[in-house]
Amino acid sequence: MSFATALALFAAVLVAAPIAAHLLRRRRADEKLFPPAALVPATPPTARKRSSLEDRFLFGVRALSILALALLGATPFVKCNRLSLTRQSGASVALAIIVDDSLSMRAKVTPDGDTTRFERAKRGAKELMAGLSAGDAVAIVMAGAPARVALAATTDFGSVNASIDSMEPSDRATDLDAAMRMAADLLKGLPQLDKRVVLLSDLADGTPAQSALTGSGDVTLWAPLPELEAKGESDCAVVRAERAGDRVRVRVVCTPVLSVAKPSESGVHTVAPVEGPSAGRSVEVRAAGRVLRSTQLSASVQTDEVTLDLPGDTANQTLTVALTGKDAIAEDDQAPVSALGAKLRVALVVDPAAVHVETGGAPPVEQALSALALDAESRPLPTVPDHAEELSGYGALLIDDAPGLTPEMRRAVSQWVEKGGVVFLTLGPKAAAAPLGAGFDPLLAGVMHWGETPVPGIDPASFPLLGGSAITFADLSPSGRMTLAPETLQNADVLAKWKDGAPFLIRRPLGRGAVLALTLPLTTQESDIALRPAFLALLDRFVRIARARGGAARVDAGDAWTFDGVKEVKVARVGSKGPNDLIPIPLTELDQRLRATPPVAGVYDLVLDGEHETRVATVPEREIDLRPRALVQNARDSKLGGSAGQVDVSSQIALALLLLATLELGLRAYSKRAE
Amino acid sequence: MRSPVFPIEWGQLAPLRLRARTVAEGVYAGPHRSVRKGAGVEFGGQRSYVPGDDLRFIDRRALLRHDKLMVREFETETDRALWLCVDATASMAYKSDKAPGAKYAYAALLAAALSRVALATGDPVGLGFVGGDGVRPQSASAGREAFDRVVGTLESARATGDANVDAGAVERAVAPIARKARRGSVIVFFSDLLDLPSVARGDLVPLGTGGRTLIVVQVLDPAEVDLPFEGSVRLRSLEGDVVVEADVDEVREAYKERLAELTRRWTRDVEAQGGRLVRAVTTDDATHITRSIVRAIAEAHA
């Protein structure tokens, strides 16, 4: 406590002043000598009662006023049980508040409580805001995948509060790493010395074994609400429910079950089966609240596909699939049945002879797609189809180093792309040596040239979409590279560059779809790109783009649908009351592309240039893991603040002082009028 | 702890000697038997000689035996000695703005006037005090100087004492009178009766027995009668350390009723013994009150 604070608090002894004034003002009744005083009945005189009533009010008001003044002078920091931060010597702070709006935040803070983690996080953010003062800056980042900036750093607390108020829970996955990077970036360059990332998350991002989350540089990580942290609760979710004819395929994912080693009588430790969250639970198909079919889950399900046969009269009924019993998150126990074969199908046109690997097996690209488990079905095609209808069942097409495309192929592929398909062309020496009449126009314009590359790999910084794995493309040492024609690059986005600045990967919009072109083939004879870790990330990005373009009628909640070449787009979520209960989803525009992001799992109704489509957003499977990620040790340091931290209540006390002054004036006016 | 001493405000009632004469002259002293001790009377005891005593009654044998002047007293059936007992406690020093003098001063005036009347008819007059400072009780005596002694003693008194605290004050004042007052004597007790403890009534009322006549004169200040204050006041008694806060306007009637009840209670007890209670306010005409007392004596005697 500083000297000034102590001095100001010492002024509180002046509270005795109104008491003294009261005693002085409270004039005693005139005392008179009167021998028969004992015969006079003692009464509380009326006048005195009125006087004392007024005195008491005035006394209380004045005493409170002086106390308030003393507190105000002491720049009060009072301890209270709301979330507040501790300032370093009272200096201003810059906060980047990360609010986790992922599915796992729908779990309750306490098993028998009513408050969800998301609600507590939101309230915590508001409490933090109440403790901020002029000079502080705040940014808000949402940690639901994909991580996104809800509000850039600002000193306008009204905007911050409005942003917090508008937060809604979602069924997204969690992307804490990206959120941390964004938060740190938002704090860069701010003048405040005390920069903090405030993490309001349950830390359940599906990667509990990953390294501990930590601050970066001069940015301190602060996780002030330990009660939010997930505790490995049990949960099962219906991540997918698809109808195929008279059958419903249901995919159920449960939180991991830990095996327990028990010593047997013989002294040998055996792994005892442990009942998981699925024990005793069933999957039910319901229509209008009526259970049509049901099947029991096994006791230790982690991932399971269940198929249920439907009765014959359910063709036009709205079906839902639900799990019986209770678990940590009730919202993911039910999902609408999609009438679509919603899995993304990827067609691969790869020459097995050219891209074979010494270890044998399928071409690397097929193995990679299988290993990634992207919920995509890859289908190798011997050649590019001549008719667009043959491609209609696919959402993505990969063509590896094709020696040009015949006009029929080009027409078929371009028509398919214009309707929303995504084609990935990997270009090598065969593509450069396309015979006369074969080419890639209108997918790629102009003449391409294969030649030696002056640099061994790409600039990792130019390919942020691949994250940390991009570094493995820095030393590819290929035998050559494709040089694209300038006219191809005119309306293309360069997603990655070689180290000399030449395009490595481009994306060209075409109708509703897109063309991706890689300036290297996948054959291991020309480069080892297919063997690098970043290749998996590249394929993942390709599948995501295809999925977003509508190549899949089903995406994870939080993944965006992108609409290229569509003039009129309307997206609405079908509510619980039926097909007519449509909740509009706002569209965003990024890089001149319209996008819509389904925040929660469910059925969505899309209108694309007047044509209705039904798509589905599902619960991300990796979100069904409620084991928390580790935190750096000092992230919960009480020196940073906490629920019992100090809060500057100057403004509240000043307001109270004003009210007291008004009250005293009112009292005086009232008493004068009464007199 | 010594009680505070209050000087007496005589106000318009001074000088007492002249005022008492004036009052006495206006009073008709009714005929009554001679109080002079004479032949055929029974020996009534001896007492010390005081100037003014009839030299014929000096006991020569006692003078020769004890070398001290003693007077022989005789008691006859015509003994109408007048015993005056004046309350000189603190409350009697009270004088309100409208009163001509303190209650003690008024009581002293009445006492002096009565003594004047009694002495004028040859009746001896004795004097006693309850409380008081500088007071000296006097045995009943007659003669020309008796009036001066009574007046001098009354004038020299100052009010002090708390009858509530000193419960024996009344008994100490009354006991000598009770011993000396014979059948036919008249005892007049002057007091406001306000602060006397309940035992005082038990000590005082028996004076009216044994052929004696007890007249109690309640002397009140006009303020004590009317409670003239207004609004909220804090009243402190002079005896008993009583402090009362009250809205006078609210309690005035209740106070008057309590005061009347006190007077009634005294009247009942005194009259039960054949005595009378005369109520006087210091603003009353002293002659009229004295006459009322004389009348009360006559009535009681009848």
Side-chain angles (χ1 to χ4, degrees), chain A residues 15-69:
Chain A
V15 74
I19 298 175
H22 172 73
L23 292 176
L24 289 174
R25 188 174 182 275
R26 205 183 77 159
R27 188 163 49 99
R28 278 187 170 183
D30 293 336
E31 183 167 299
K32 297 178 183 298
L33 288 175
F34 192 65
L39 298 178
V40 179
T43 59
T46 311
R48 184 165 169 72
K49 277 191 288 188
R50 189 168 54 236
S51 168
S52 66
L53 186 68
E54 175 200 346
D55 287 353
R56 198 159 54 239
F57 274 128
L58 281 175
F59 163 68
V61 168
R62 286 175 186 168
L64 286 175
S65 300
I66 289 181
L67 285 176
L69 267 176

Short mmCIF file of all heavy atoms in Angstrom, two decimals, chain A residues 15-69:
data_model
loop_
_atom_site.label_atom_id
_atom_site.label_comp_id
_atom_site.label_asym_id
_atom_site.label_seq_id
_atom_site.Cartn_x
_atom_site.Cartn_y
_atom_site.Cartn_z
N VAL A 15 -15.06 10.15 9.07
CA VAL A 15 -16.44 9.69 9.20
C VAL A 15 -16.99 10.09 10.57
O VAL A 15 -18.20 10.17 10.78
CB VAL A 15 -16.52 8.17 8.99
CG1 VAL A 15 -15.98 7.43 10.21
CG2 VAL A 15 -17.95 7.75 8.70
N ALA A 16 -16.06 10.36 11.50
CA ALA A 16 -16.51 10.81 12.83
C ALA A 16 -17.07 12.22 12.76
O ALA A 16 -17.81 12.64 13.66
CB ALA A 16 -15.35 10.75 13.81
N ALA A 17 -16.70 12.96 11.71
CA ALA A 17 -17.16 14.35 11.62
C ALA A 17 -18.68 14.46 11.57
O ALA A 17 -19.26 15.26 12.32
CB ALA A 17 -16.52 15.03 10.42
N PRO A 18 -19.35 13.67 10.73
CA PRO A 18 -20.81 13.76 10.75
C PRO A 18 -21.40 13.37 12.09
O PRO A 18 -22.43 13.90 12.50
CB PRO A 18 -21.24 12.77 9.65
CG PRO A 18 -20.06 12.61 8.80
CD PRO A 18 -18.89 12.80 9.67
N ILE A 19 -20.71 12.45 12.78
CA ILE A 19 -21.22 12.05 14.09
C ILE A 19 -21.15 13.24 15.04
O ILE A 19 -22.11 13.56 15.75
CB ILE A 19 -20.40 10.87 14.65
CG1 ILE A 19 -20.54 9.67 13.71
CG2 ILE A 19 -20.85 10.51 16.05
CD1 ILE A 19 -19.66 8.50 14.10
N ALA A 20 -19.98 13.92 15.01
CA ALA A 20 -19.84 15.08 15.87
C ALA A 20 -20.85 16.15 15.48
O ALA A 20 -21.52 16.75 16.34
CB ALA A 20 -18.43 15.62 15.76
N ALA A 21 -20.96 16.35 14.16
CA ALA A 21 -21.92 17.36 13.69
C ALA A 21 -23.33 16.97 14.11
O ALA A 21 -24.13 17.82 14.51
CB ALA A 21 -21.83 17.49 12.18
N HIS A 22 -23.59 15.69 14.03
CA HIS A 22 -24.91 15.22 14.42
C HIS A 22 -25.18 15.49 15.89
O HIS A 22 -26.25 15.97 16.26
CB HIS A 22 -24.99 13.72 14.13
CG HIS A 22 -26.22 13.06 14.64
ND1 HIS A 22 -27.45 13.23 14.06
CD2 HIS A 22 -26.42 12.25 15.70
CE1 HIS A 22 -28.35 12.55 14.73
NE2 HIS A 22 -27.75 11.95 15.73
N LEU A 23 -24.16 15.20 16.72
CA LEU A 23 -24.34 15.40 18.15
C LEU A 23 -24.49 16.88 18.47
O LEU A 23 -25.27 17.28 19.34
CB LEU A 23 -23.16 14.82 18.92
CG LEU A 23 -23.07 13.29 18.84
CD1 LEU A 23 -21.82 12.80 19.54
CD2 LEU A 23 -24.29 12.66 19.50
N LEU A 24 -23.71 17.69 17.75
CA LEU A 24 -23.83 19.13 18.00
C LEU A 24 -25.18 19.65 17.53
O LEU A 24 -25.82 20.46 18.18
CB LEU A 24 -22.71 19.88 17.26
CG LEU A 24 -21.32 19.67 17.87
CD1 LEU A 24 -20.27 20.33 16.98
CD2 LEU A 24 -21.26 20.28 19.26
N ARG A 25 -25.55 19.14 16.36
CA ARG A 25 -26.79 19.63 15.78
C ARG A 25 -27.99 19.12 16.57
O ARG A 25 -29.01 19.78 16.65
CB ARG A 25 -26.87 19.14 14.33
CG ARG A 25 -28.00 19.72 13.54
CD ARG A 25 -27.88 19.26 12.10
NE ARG A 25 -28.94 19.83 11.29
CZ ARG A 25 -30.15 19.29 11.21
NH1 ARG A 25 -30.42 18.21 11.87
NH2 ARG A 25 -31.06 19.86 10.44
N ARG A 26 -27.81 17.92 17.13
CA ARG A 26 -28.93 17.33 17.84
C ARG A 26 -29.07 18.02 19.19
O ARG A 26 -28.63 17.52 20.22
CB ARG A 26 -28.70 15.83 18.02
CG ARG A 26 -29.98 15.07 18.16
CD ARG A 26 -29.71 13.64 18.40
NE ARG A 26 -29.30 13.40 19.77
CZ ARG A 26 -29.38 12.23 20.38
NH1 ARG A 26 -29.83 11.20 19.74
NH2 ARG A 26 -28.99 12.05 21.60
N ARG A 27 -29.58 19.19 19.17
CA ARG A 27 -29.72 20.00 20.38
C ARG A 27 -30.62 19.29 21.37
O ARG A 27 -31.70 18.82 21.03
CB ARG A 27 -30.33 21.35 20.00
CG ARG A 27 -30.37 22.34 21.10
CD ARG A 27 -30.60 23.69 20.45
NE ARG A 27 -31.73 23.63 19.53
CZ ARG A 27 -32.94 24.03 19.83
NH1 ARG A 27 -33.20 24.51 21.00
NH2 ARG A 27 -33.91 23.98 18.92
N ARG A 28 -30.12 19.22 22.61
CA ARG A 28 -30.95 18.59 23.63
C ARG A 28 -32.13 19.48 23.96
O ARG A 28 -32.07 20.70 23.82
CB ARG A 28 -30.13 18.38 24.89
CG ARG A 28 -29.27 17.15 24.84
CD ARG A 28 -28.65 16.93 26.17
NE ARG A 28 -28.01 15.64 26.24
CZ ARG A 28 -27.43 15.17 27.34
NH1 ARG A 28 -27.42 15.89 28.44
NH2 ARG A 28 -26.86 13.99 27.34
N ALA A 29 -33.12 18.85 24.44
CA ALA A 29 -34.27 19.63 24.89
C ALA A 29 -33.83 20.51 26.06
O ALA A 29 -32.92 20.15 26.81
CB ALA A 29 -35.38 18.69 25.32
N ASP A 30 -34.44 21.68 26.17
CA ASP A 30 -34.08 22.59 27.25
C ASP A 30 -34.25 21.89 28.59
O ASP A 30 -35.29 21.30 28.86
CB ASP A 30 -34.98 23.83 27.19
CG ASP A 30 -34.69 24.62 25.94
OD1 ASP A 30 -33.58 24.49 25.42
OD2 ASP A 30 -35.59 25.36 25.49
N GLU A 31 -33.21 22.01 29.41
CA GLU A 31 -33.29 21.39 30.73
C GLU A 31 -33.75 22.44 31.74
O GLU A 31 -33.22 23.54 31.79
CB GLU A 31 -31.93 20.81 31.14
CG GLU A 31 -32.00 20.10 32.47
CD GLU A 31 -30.75 19.27 32.73
OE1 GLU A 31 -30.49 18.36 31.94
OE2 GLU A 31 -30.06 19.55 33.71
N LYS A 32 -34.71 22.06 32.50
CA LYS A 32 -35.27 22.98 33.50
C LYS A 32 -35.34 22.27 34.84
O LYS A 32 -35.62 21.07 34.89
CB LYS A 32 -36.67 23.43 33.08
CG LYS A 32 -36.69 24.22 31.78
CD LYS A 32 -38.10 24.60 31.40
CE LYS A 32 -38.12 25.33 30.07
NZ LYS A 32 -37.37 26.59 30.08
N LEU A 33 -35.10 23.07 35.91
CA LEU A 33 -35.28 22.52 37.25
C LEU A 33 -36.76 22.50 37.55
O LEU A 33 -37.49 23.47 37.31
CB LEU A 33 -34.54 23.40 38.27
CG LEU A 33 -33.02 23.31 38.23
CD1 LEU A 33 -32.41 24.32 39.20
CD2 LEU A 33 -32.55 21.90 38.55
N PHE A 34 -37.19 21.39 38.05
CA PHE A 34 -38.62 21.24 38.32
C PHE A 34 -38.77 20.19 39.41
O PHE A 34 -38.63 18.99 39.16
CB PHE A 34 -39.34 20.81 37.04
CG PHE A 34 -40.83 20.91 37.13
CD1 PHE A 34 -41.45 22.15 37.27
CD2 PHE A 34 -41.63 19.78 37.06
CE1 PHE A 34 -42.83 22.24 37.34
CE2 PHE A 34 -43.01 19.87 37.13
CZ PHE A 34 -43.61 21.12 37.27
N PRO A 35 -39.05 20.62 40.61
CA PRO A 35 -39.08 19.67 41.73
C PRO A 35 -39.97 18.45 41.50
O PRO A 35 -39.55 17.33 41.77
CB PRO A 35 -39.56 20.53 42.89
CG PRO A 35 -39.10 21.90 42.55
CD PRO A 35 -39.22 22.00 41.07
N PRO A 36 -41.19 18.66 41.01
CA PRO A 36 -42.02 17.45 40.84
C PRO A 36 -41.75 16.73 39.52
O PRO A 36 -42.68 16.20 38.90
CB PRO A 36 -43.44 18.00 40.89
CG PRO A 36 -43.35 19.39 40.38
CD PRO A 36 -41.98 19.88 40.72
N ALA A 37 -40.51 16.72 39.05
CA ALA A 37 -40.20 16.07 37.77
C ALA A 37 -40.62 14.60 37.79
O ALA A 37 -41.01 14.04 36.76
CB ALA A 37 -38.71 16.19 37.48
N ALA A 38 -40.56 14.01 39.00
CA ALA A 38 -40.91 12.60 39.08
C ALA A 38 -42.37 12.35 38.75
O ALA A 38 -42.75 11.21 38.41
CB ALA A 38 -40.58 12.07 40.46
N LEU A 39 -43.17 13.39 38.85
CA LEU A 39 -44.60 13.21 38.55
C LEU A 39 -44.91 13.40 37.06
O LEU A 39 -46.03 13.17 36.63
CB LEU A 39 -45.42 14.22 39.36
CG LEU A 39 -45.34 14.08 40.88
CD1 LEU A 39 -46.18 15.17 41.56
CD2 LEU A 39 -45.83 12.71 41.32
N VAL A 40 -43.90 13.85 36.30
CA VAL A 40 -44.13 14.11 34.88
C VAL A 40 -43.86 12.82 34.10
O VAL A 40 -42.76 12.27 34.17
CB VAL A 40 -43.21 15.23 34.38
CG1 VAL A 40 -43.45 15.48 32.89
CG2 VAL A 40 -43.44 16.49 35.18
N PRO A 41 -44.86 12.35 33.36
CA PRO A 41 -44.62 11.13 32.56
C PRO A 41 -43.59 11.41 31.46
O PRO A 41 -43.70 12.43 30.77
CB PRO A 41 -45.99 10.80 31.96
CG PRO A 41 -46.95 11.64 32.72
CD PRO A 41 -46.22 12.83 33.22
N ALA A 42 -42.64 10.54 31.32
CA ALA A 42 -41.65 10.70 30.25
C ALA A 42 -42.25 10.22 28.94
O ALA A 42 -42.87 9.16 28.88
CB ALA A 42 -40.40 9.89 30.57
N THR A 43 -42.09 11.02 27.92
CA THR A 43 -42.61 10.64 26.60
C THR A 43 -41.55 10.94 25.56
O THR A 43 -40.78 11.88 25.71
CB THR A 43 -43.87 11.43 26.23
OG1 THR A 43 -43.54 12.81 26.24
CG2 THR A 43 -45.00 11.14 27.18
N PRO A 44 -41.48 10.14 24.48
CA PRO A 44 -40.64 10.53 23.35
C PRO A 44 -41.36 11.63 22.59
O PRO A 44 -42.33 11.35 21.87
CB PRO A 44 -40.52 9.26 22.51
CG PRO A 44 -41.69 8.43 22.91
CD PRO A 44 -42.11 8.84 24.27
N PRO A 45 -40.93 12.84 22.71
CA PRO A 45 -41.68 13.93 22.10
C PRO A 45 -41.72 13.80 20.59
O PRO A 45 -40.78 13.31 19.97
CB PRO A 45 -40.88 15.17 22.51
CG PRO A 45 -40.01 14.73 23.64
CD PRO A 45 -39.76 13.30 23.43
N THR A 46 -42.80 14.21 20.01
CA THR A 46 -43.02 14.11 18.56
C THR A 46 -41.96 14.86 17.79
O THR A 46 -41.38 14.35 16.84
CB THR A 46 -44.41 14.68 18.20
OG1 THR A 46 -45.34 14.10 19.07
CG2 THR A 46 -44.73 14.37 16.76
N ALA A 47 -41.70 16.06 18.21
CA ALA A 47 -40.75 16.90 17.48
C ALA A 47 -39.38 16.24 17.48
O ALA A 47 -38.67 16.22 16.49
CB ALA A 47 -40.67 18.27 18.11
N ARG A 48 -39.03 15.64 18.57
CA ARG A 48 -37.72 15.04 18.67
C ARG A 48 -37.62 13.80 17.78
O ARG A 48 -36.60 13.53 17.17
CB ARG A 48 -37.46 14.67 20.12
CG ARG A 48 -36.11 14.13 20.34
CD ARG A 48 -35.79 14.13 21.81
NE ARG A 48 -34.58 13.36 22.02
CZ ARG A 48 -33.38 13.77 21.68
NH1 ARG A 48 -33.23 14.94 21.12
NH2 ARG A 48 -32.32 13.03 21.89
N LYS A 49 -38.73 13.07 17.71
CA LYS A 49 -38.71 11.87 16.87
C LYS A 49 -38.47 12.26 15.41
O LYS A 49 -37.67 11.67 14.73
CB LYS A 49 -40.05 11.14 17.00
CG LYS A 49 -40.10 10.23 18.22
CD LYS A 49 -41.30 9.33 18.17
CE LYS A 49 -42.56 10.11 18.43
NZ LYS A 49 -43.74 9.27 18.58
N ARG A 50 -39.14 13.29 14.97
CA ARG A 50 -38.99 13.69 13.58
C ARG A 50 -37.55 14.15 13.33
O ARG A 50 -36.93 13.82 12.35
CB ARG A 50 -39.98 14.80 13.28
CG ARG A 50 -40.05 15.14 11.81
CD ARG A 50 -41.24 16.02 11.54
NE ARG A 50 -41.28 17.20 12.36
CZ ARG A 50 -42.28 17.55 13.15
NH1 ARG A 50 -43.33 16.78 13.24
NH2 ARG A 50 -42.24 18.66 13.85
N SER A 51 -37.04 14.87 14.30
CA SER A 51 -35.69 15.38 14.17
C SER A 51 -34.69 14.23 14.09
O SER A 51 -33.81 14.20 13.25
CB SER A 51 -35.37 16.28 15.35
OG SER A 51 -34.01 16.54 15.37
N SER A 52 -34.86 13.26 14.94
CA SER A 52 -33.89 12.18 14.95
C SER A 52 -33.97 11.34 13.68
O SER A 52 -32.97 10.86 13.18
CB SER A 52 -34.12 11.29 16.16
OG SER A 52 -35.36 10.65 16.03
N LEU A 53 -35.18 11.21 13.10
CA LEU A 53 -35.33 10.46 11.86
C LEU A 53 -34.52 11.12 10.74
O LEU A 53 -33.75 10.50 10.04
CB LEU A 53 -36.81 10.38 11.48
CG LEU A 53 -37.15 9.50 10.29
CD1 LEU A 53 -36.89 8.05 10.61
CD2 LEU A 53 -38.60 9.69 9.88
N GLU A 54 -34.71 12.42 10.65
CA GLU A 54 -33.98 13.15 9.62
C GLU A 54 -32.48 13.08 9.88
O GLU A 54 -31.68 12.87 8.98
CB GLU A 54 -34.46 14.61 9.65
CG GLU A 54 -33.70 15.51 8.70
CD GLU A 54 -33.86 16.96 9.09
OE1 GLU A 54 -34.74 17.24 9.92
OE2 GLU A 54 -33.10 17.76 8.59
N ASP A 55 -32.11 13.22 11.14
CA ASP A 55 -30.70 13.17 11.49
C ASP A 55 -30.08 11.84 11.09
O ASP A 55 -28.97 11.80 10.59
CB ASP A 55 -30.54 13.38 12.99
CG ASP A 55 -30.80 14.83 13.36
OD1 ASP A 55 -30.97 15.64 12.45
OD2 ASP A 55 -30.85 15.10 14.55
N ARG A 56 -30.81 10.78 11.32
CA ARG A 56 -30.24 9.47 11.06
C ARG A 56 -29.98 9.28 9.56
O ARG A 56 -28.93 8.80 9.15
CB ARG A 56 -31.19 8.39 11.57
CG ARG A 56 -30.54 7.04 11.74
CD ARG A 56 -31.29 6.14 12.69
NE ARG A 56 -32.69 5.97 12.34
CZ ARG A 56 -33.69 6.29 13.15
NH1 ARG A 56 -33.44 6.81 14.33
NH2 ARG A 56 -34.94 6.11 12.77
N PHE A 57 -30.94 9.70 8.75
CA PHE A 57 -30.74 9.59 7.31
C PHE A 57 -29.55 10.44 6.87
O PHE A 57 -28.68 9.99 6.14
CB PHE A 57 -32.00 10.05 6.57
CG PHE A 57 -33.00 8.94 6.39
CD1 PHE A 57 -34.31 9.10 6.77
CD2 PHE A 57 -32.61 7.74 5.82
CE1 PHE A 57 -35.22 8.08 6.61
CE2 PHE A 57 -33.52 6.71 5.65
CZ PHE A 57 -34.83 6.89 6.05
N LEU A 58 -29.56 11.68 7.33
CA LEU A 58 -28.49 12.57 6.91
C LEU A 58 -27.14 12.06 7.40
O LEU A 58 -26.15 12.10 6.69
CB LEU A 58 -28.75 13.98 7.46
CG LEU A 58 -29.77 14.78 6.69
CD1 LEU A 58 -30.03 16.10 7.38
CD2 LEU A 58 -29.31 15.02 5.27
N PHE A 59 -27.16 11.58 8.62
CA PHE A 59 -25.91 11.06 9.17
C PHE A 59 -25.40 9.89 8.33
O PHE A 59 -24.22 9.83 7.97
CB PHE A 59 -26.13 10.61 10.62
CG PHE A 59 -25.04 9.72 11.12
CD1 PHE A 59 -23.77 10.22 11.31
CD2 PHE A 59 -25.27 8.38 11.36
CE1 PHE A 59 -22.76 9.40 11.74
CE2 PHE A 59 -24.27 7.56 11.79
CZ PHE A 59 -23.01 8.06 11.98
N GLY A 60 -26.28 8.98 8.02
CA GLY A 60 -25.88 7.82 7.22
C GLY A 60 -25.34 8.24 5.87
O GLY A 60 -24.30 7.76 5.42
N VAL A 61 -26.03 9.15 5.23
CA VAL A 61 -25.62 9.60 3.91
C VAL A 61 -24.26 10.27 3.97
O VAL A 61 -23.36 10.00 3.17
CB VAL A 61 -26.67 10.57 3.34
CG1 VAL A 61 -26.14 11.26 2.11
CG2 VAL A 61 -27.94 9.81 3.00
N ARG A 62 -24.08 11.12 4.98
CA ARG A 62 -22.80 11.83 5.05
C ARG A 62 -21.66 10.90 5.42
O ARG A 62 -20.56 11.02 4.89
CB ARG A 62 -22.92 12.96 6.09
CG ARG A 62 -23.75 14.10 5.56
CD ARG A 62 -23.96 15.13 6.61
NE ARG A 62 -24.88 16.15 6.15
CZ ARG A 62 -25.42 17.04 6.93
NH1 ARG A 62 -25.16 17.04 8.22
NH2 ARG A 62 -26.23 17.95 6.45
N ALA A 63 -21.93 9.99 6.34
CA ALA A 63 -20.87 9.05 6.72
C ALA A 63 -20.46 8.21 5.52
O ALA A 63 -19.27 8.02 5.25
CB ALA A 63 -21.35 8.16 7.85
N LEU A 64 -21.44 7.74 4.76
CA LEU A 64 -21.13 6.94 3.58
C LEU A 64 -20.38 7.77 2.54
O LEU A 64 -19.48 7.28 1.87
CB LEU A 64 -22.42 6.38 2.97
CG LEU A 64 -23.05 5.23 3.75
CD1 LEU A 64 -24.38 4.85 3.13
CD2 LEU A 64 -22.14 4.03 3.77
N SER A 65 -20.78 9.03 2.43
CA SER A 65 -20.11 9.90 1.46
C SER A 65 -18.63 10.03 1.81
O SER A 65 -17.76 9.96 0.93
CB SER A 65 -20.75 11.28 1.45
OG SER A 65 -22.10 11.18 1.09
N ILE A 66 -18.34 10.21 3.07
CA ILE A 66 -16.94 10.39 3.46
C ILE A 66 -16.16 9.10 3.26
O ILE A 66 -15.03 9.11 2.76
CB ILE A 66 -16.87 10.86 4.93
CG1 ILE A 66 -17.36 12.30 4.99
CG2 ILE A 66 -15.46 10.76 5.46
CD1 ILE A 66 -17.33 12.91 6.35
N LEU A 67 -16.77 7.99 3.59
CA LEU A 67 -16.09 6.70 3.36
C LEU A 67 -15.83 6.51 1.87
O LEU A 67 -14.76 6.07 1.46
CB LEU A 67 -16.95 5.56 3.90
CG LEU A 67 -16.96 5.41 5.42
CD1 LEU A 67 -17.93 4.31 5.82
CD2 LEU A 67 -15.58 5.08 5.93
N ALA A 68 -16.82 6.84 1.07
CA ALA A 68 -16.66 6.69 -0.38
C ALA A 68 -15.55 7.60 -0.89
O ALA A 68 -14.75 7.21 -1.74
CB ALA A 68 -17.97 7.01 -1.09
N LEU A 69 -15.50 8.81 -0.37
CA LEU A 69 -14.45 9.73 -0.79
C LEU A 69 -13.08 9.18 -0.42
O LEU A 69 -12.13 9.25 -1.21
CB LEU A 69 -14.66 11.09 -0.10
CG LEU A 69 -15.48 12.10 -0.87
CD1 LEU A 69 -15.69 13.34 -0.03
CD2 LEU A 69 -14.78 12.47 -2.17
#
